[in-house]
Amino acid sequence: MNANLAWDDFRLVKAIADHDGLTGAAAALGVNHSTVFRRLGQIEEHVGLQLFERRKTGYVATAAGVEMAALAGRVEEDVAAFSRRLAGRDVAPSGELRVTTTDTLYLHLLLPIFAAFRAAHPAIRLDIVIGNQALNLSKRDADIAIRASDAPGETLVGRRLATLSWAIYGRTSDVSQPDDGNGTARLFARDWVALGDQLAHVKAARYVRDKVAPERIALRSSAVLGLAEAVEQGLGIGPLPCFIADQRPTLVRLLPPDPDFSTGLWLLTHPDLRNAPRVRAFMDFVGGELAKLRGLIEGTG
């Protein structure tokens, strides 16, 4: 047995194990099927062991194949950790910074802050990743996350900036005066706009589902983005983030902010990156600017 293996050998074995065969492994590695077939044969001959059982349903790793693929996975994790540590040794706030956040926070709250940050730190380039799914900061899918969450992740560091509050809003022209608390039941006889099943985990979405009859829901949206505009168009009343609705004179609160709707607003990064100058500069600047808007975010300003 000649055990002098190259890193590419480990990568190939891991790819075959991950994809249960040669076709998926070839696509993942960016090579053709015959190349993977030939190289696997060479590796097995090299180590003197069969690494995979060839079955009709695919390639199944033997004990040796499982061990080799697991070792490759650990090496990949170590390389990613080393990359993060290198990124944390920047000597000046410069370079690219990947930030993930939601479309709603980006458009209605963060974009002016990002513009001000760029003016203050022109050597830092922002790569904004928009999405409602939390990216993996450990694998450097993003360097910083700005999230609305009650469970931001135990492996991340950062701070809770504010409580993101929601309330029930309607169109000002349709409401003579806000509800005084005695006529709440009348609200449920009106048409509503609501979040769709894709955001069923949002507390305000659960409230509408539990309180409002299905036939009274005039519109459902798969995103918070555009929901305030739907209320402005007279489609119905509904729950909205205070930082969006309170800046629109065409909208009025029908009920005060409900603590059961609220969630935390977090600014987070990976521990290995928190001392990188560009990360520290961003978190200090954005954290400070969002602190100034705390009243708006919490519906008290």
Side-chain angles (χ1 to χ4, degrees):
M1 173 180 173
N2 184 347
N4 294 323
L5 296 169
W7 165 238
D8 281 347
D9 298 332
F10 284 89
R11 287 181 65 238
L12 183 134
V13 170
K14 182 177 183 299
I16 297 172
D18 287 345
H19 295 88
D20 299 319
L22 306 186
T23 303
L29 296 171
V31 298
N32 58 49
H33 184 282
S34 60
T35 298
V36 178
F37 178 81
R38 184 180 66 256
R39 285 184 55 196
L40 175 61
Q42 292 171 344
I43 295 169
E44 289 182 326
E45 182 179 358
H46 193 63
V47 300
L49 293 169
Q50 184 178 2
L51 300 174
F52 292 92
E53 295 179 7
R54 282 71 166 169
R55 299 180 181 175
K56 292 181 179 180
T57 56
Y59 278 49
V60 178
T62 63
V66 168
E67 185 175 357
M68 192 168 175
L71 177 57
R74 293 195 296 273
V75 171
E76 284 186 350
E77 291 176 0
D78 288 345
V79 170
F82 179 69
S83 176
R84 291 194 304 269
R85 289 194 295 272
L86 285 182
R89 294 174 184 172
D90 293 345
V91 296
S94 62
E96 184 175 275
L97 193 64
R98 178 170 289 187
V99 181
T100 178
T101 191
T102 67
D103 48 11
T104 305
L105 290 171
Y106 174 73
L107 185 61
H108 293 288
L109 193 64
L110 296 174
L111 192 52
I113 296 175
F114 290 167
F117 174 78
R118 270 284 298 165
H121 298 278
I124 298 177
R125 306 181 307 279
L126 296 177
D127 180 4
I128 309 301
V129 182
I130 302 296
N132 291 315
Q133 298 298 319
L135 297 187
N136 191 328
L137 270 63
S138 296
K139 293 185 177 179
R140 295 206 69 193
D141 292 338
D143 301 311
I144 292 173
I146 304 175
R147 293 179 183 165
S149 175
D150 290 323
E154 296 180 357
T155 61
L156 305 178
V157 295
R159 52 183 167 137
R160 179 172 174 145
L161 300 170
T163 297
L164 205 158
S165 296
W166 293 58
I168 305 299
Y169 289 84
R171 190 164 62 168
T172 305
S173 59
D174 295 338
V175 181
S176 58
Q177 61 182 11
D179 191 88
D180 60 7
N182 296 319
T184 302
R186 291 196 297 270
L187 295 178
F188 301 118
R190 299 179 60 175
D191 285 340
W192 284 65
V193 299
L195 294 171
D197 293 340
Q198 301 89 338
L199 295 176
H201 62 281
V202 177
K203 297 173 183 177
R206 294 201 298 266
Y207 175 87
V208 176
R209 185 180 65 240
D210 294 342
K211 299 283 189 179
V212 181
E215 61 269 20
R216 293 258 56 101
I217 298 177
L219 177 143
R220 293 186 187 273
S221 173
S222 64
V224 178
L225 192 68
L227 211 57
E229 288 77 6
V231 177
E232 284 183 318
Q233 291 297 321
L235 281 161
I237 65 175
L240 299 171
C242 294
F243 74 87
I244 297 176
D246 286 347
Q247 298 188 79
R248 296 171 182 247
T250 58
L251 299 180
V252 62
R253 287 185 195 174
L254 303 179
L255 294 173
D258 191 328
D260 289 338
F261 295 175
S262 65
T263 187
L265 180 63
W266 293 83
L267 180 62
L268 301 161
T269 189
H270 192 277
D272 291 342
L273 295 177
R274 61 182 164 185
N275 292 321
R278 67 183 187 281
V279 172
R280 190 167 61 246
F282 182 90
M283 295 189 73
D284 289 346
F285 185 95
V286 173
E289 292 301 304
L290 286 173
K292 298 175 186 177
L293 300 175
R294 186 166 182 170
L296 176 67
I297 296 167
E298 299 188 342
T300 61

